[in-house]
């Protein structure tokens, strides 16, 4: 049994193995393969998709769920440390899924926890389960993860999903295009990462139909209001990029728009029924990948899943 703290810890074969598991869960999401286990979800920051899809995944696999979605109801408000909280909850559970505003919180938790930790987002740092569902979505729509042109648009400074995605895609020879206002550009450490692993990338502030015409994947992101110390600066940049339907006129037929969600206004609502829009299915794919993650951290293998006799549907 092992934790899932950073996508960087997973090799290419780990990633493809987990994606294979996800496919098994798309075929049969309802099983009792985690019957008798308890999954704890500790969300110190707000979430809709990640928490509810992990909890749905646990329930569909026959596990029970404990936890909180509002840290105000936990003893952290009385000053209990993260270490003590994790050690307590580990007494009650077989795996802990946690989201925290501090970068490195999941790593710290994994160092003290006797049960596996799943990082459901730590500050602006990492969101590995999101990346796995992003990879699944890219593979499902493009037929392969190899040699793609991926455009990352919006808040590339604070957006943890784009940071994790770059790390995972290093195995698949991508070309990245970073589109962000200067103040929200991709942090130097991730550009250095690209250079280190020979990942091609371009940078621009421009966003128009000619740029979109080159994309296989257009990955839109929300400007992360909660990470700004200066709200005037947020107001200045929040509407920099709004994807409008007319901007898709030159898009490749199979280009897909991804977004980790929640959306504010960066994708016009009238795109939702456009064949290029994939973000709601992307979120749905999160259920299959989170079933795979929960099984993986419990030591259940792809072979166990393939030979599983507990399928209910
Ligand atoms: N994509 C994502 O992390 O969404 P939530 O914040 O709703 O969990």
């Amino acid at each position: 049994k092992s934790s899932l703290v950073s996508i960087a810890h997973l090799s290419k074969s780990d990633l493809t193995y987990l994606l294979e598991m996800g496919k098994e869960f798309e075929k049969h999401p309802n099983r009792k393969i985690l019957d008798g286990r308890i999954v704890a979800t500790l969300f110190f920051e707000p979430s809709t998709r990640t928490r509810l899809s992990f909890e749905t995944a646990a329930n569909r696999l026959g596990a029970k769920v404990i936890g909180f979605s509002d840290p105000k109801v936990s003893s952290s408000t009385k000053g209990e440390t993260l270490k003590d909280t994790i050690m307590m909850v580990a007494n009650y559970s077989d795996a802990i899924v946690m989201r925290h505003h501090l970068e490195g919180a999941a790593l710290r938790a994994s160092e003290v926890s006797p049960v596996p930790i799943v990082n459901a987002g730590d500050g602006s740092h990492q969101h590995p389960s999101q990346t796995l569902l992003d990879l699944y979505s890219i593979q499902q729509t493009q037929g392969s993860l190899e040699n793609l042109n991926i455009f990352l648009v919006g808040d590339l400074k604070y957006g943890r999903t784009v940071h994790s995605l770059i790390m995972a895609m290093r195995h698949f020879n991508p070309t990245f295009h970073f589109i962000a206002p200067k103040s929200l550009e991709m942090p130097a450490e991730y550009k250095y990462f690209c250079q280190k692993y020979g990942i091609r990338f371009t940078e621009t502030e421009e966003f128009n139909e000619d740029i979109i015409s080159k994309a296989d994947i257009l990955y839109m992101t929300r400007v992360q209001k909660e990470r700004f110390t200066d709200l005037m600066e947020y107001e200045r940049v929040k509407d920099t990029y709004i994807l409008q339907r007319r901007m898709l006129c030159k898009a490749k037929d199979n280009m897909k728009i991804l977004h980790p969600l929640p959306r504010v206004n960066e994708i016009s609502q009238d795109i939702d029924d456009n064949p290029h829009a994939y973000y709601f299915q992307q979120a749905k794919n999160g259920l299959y990948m989170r079933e795979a993650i929960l099984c993986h951290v419990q030591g259940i293998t792809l072979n166990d899943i393939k030979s599983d006799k507990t399928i209910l549907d």
Side-chain angles (χ1 to χ4, degrees):
K1 292 182 188 179
S2 60
S3 294
L4 176 60
V5 169
S6 168
I7 203 78
H9 297 158
L10 299 181
S11 66
K12 184 172 186 175
S13 60
D14 292 335
L15 294 172
T16 49
Y17 182 85
L18 283 166
L19 295 173
E20 279 303 306
M21 272 197 185
K23 282 187 198 152
E24 293 299 316
F25 288 115
E26 182 165 7
K27 282 188 246 166
H28 299 291
N30 294 307
R31 304 154 181 261
K32 291 289 177 196
I33 202 162
L34 292 185
D35 192 19
R37 313 220 188 180
I38 295 180
V39 173
T41 54
L42 308 186
F43 277 68
F44 296 88
E45 275 198 330
S47 167
T48 296
R49 275 147 294 275
T50 311
R51 183 175 68 83
L52 292 177
S53 60
F54 265 118
E55 293 187 356
T56 304
N59 281 308
R60 287 200 185 278
L61 295 172
K64 292 198 165 46
V65 177
I66 60 168
F68 54 79
S69 57
D70 178 358
K72 288 202 280 296
V73 303
S74 84
S75 285
S76 60
T77 57
K78 302 176 199 165
E80 185 164 53
T81 63
L82 178 63
K83 176 186 170 193
D84 288 2
T85 302
I86 294 295
M87 286 173 64
M88 288 307 102
V89 176
N91 289 332
Y92 317 138
S93 61
D94 299 290
I96 298 174
V97 180
M98 63 173 280
R99 172 172 288 186
H100 202 281
H101 58 279
L102 288 179
E103 292 190 13
L107 177 62
R108 176 72 186 126
S110 72
E111 288 166 352
V112 298
S113 174
V115 303
I117 298 289
V118 178
N119 183 3
D122 60 329
S124 303
H125 185 221
Q126 282 269 321
H127 196 345
S129 69
Q130 176 71 44
T131 303
L132 284 163
L133 76 90
D134 291 345
L135 296 184
Y136 190 86
S137 300
I138 294 169
Q139 189 174 58
Q140 291 295 90
T141 59
Q142 305 299 317
S144 165
L145 291 168
E146 302 282 350
N147 308 320
L148 296 172
N149 269 297
I150 301 179
F151 287 62
L152 306 178
V153 183
D155 184 349
L156 307 188
K157 178 179 180 184
Y158 296 118
R160 57 194 170 201
T161 66
V162 292
H163 301 159
S164 291
L165 186 60
I166 289 172
M167 290 185 156
M169 287 301 297
R170 76 182 188 276
H171 302 294
F172 304 102
N173 193 36
T175 305
F176 277 111
H177 304 272
F178 302 150
I179 301 177
K182 192 74 191 148
S183 62
L184 295 179
E185 73 177 51
M186 185 60 73
E189 67 190 275
Y190 296 101
K191 290 186 219 169
Y192 172 72
F193 183 91
C194 288
Q195 284 157 355
K196 182 174 167 188
Y197 287 98
I199 301 172
R200 294 171 299 280
F201 70 90
T202 67
E203 284 185 282
T204 181
E205 291 186 59
E206 272 185 67
F207 186 47
N208 55 44
E209 54 268 40
D210 289 323
I211 286 182
I212 292 170
S213 72
K214 300 182 182 74
D216 298 307
I217 294 291
L218 183 60
Y219 195 103
M220 300 296 297
T221 64
R222 173 180 67 92
V223 177
Q224 309 266 301
K225 183 179 183 183
E226 65 276 26
R227 311 274 177 229
F228 281 69
T229 48
D230 176 358
L231 280 185
M232 293 288 283
E233 174 59 12
Y234 170 73
E235 290 297 326
R236 195 181 69 75
V237 295
K238 71 182 169 66
D239 295 329
T240 309
Y241 302 121
I242 299 177
L243 181 63
Q244 305 286 356
R245 201 176 171 105
R246 64 179 157 69
M247 294 166 72
L248 302 174
C249 60
K250 297 182 183 172
K252 293 183 191 177
D253 288 347
N254 197 35
M255 186 278 281
K256 294 296 175 200
I257 304 163
L258 303 188
H259 190 310
L261 304 177
R263 156 179 64 181
V264 180
N265 64 348
E266 55 279 354
I267 301 176
S268 174
Q269 304 249 353
D270 65 4
I271 290 178
D272 292 354
D273 61 357
N274 186 285
H276 294 294
Y278 193 75
Y279 31 92
F280 292 124
Q281 179 62 43
Q282 176 190 2
K284 187 174 179 188
N285 293 340
L287 172 63
Y288 315 132
M289 284 316 301
R290 287 172 174 135
E291 290 190 275
I293 291 166
L294 290 179
C295 283
H296 183 59
V297 301
Q298 289 299 291
I300 291 168
T301 66
L302 182 57
N303 276 343
D304 294 335
I305 293 163
K306 284 187 169 169
S307 58
D308 176 29
K309 300 282 187 290
T310 68
I311 292 170
L312 299 176
D313 50 4

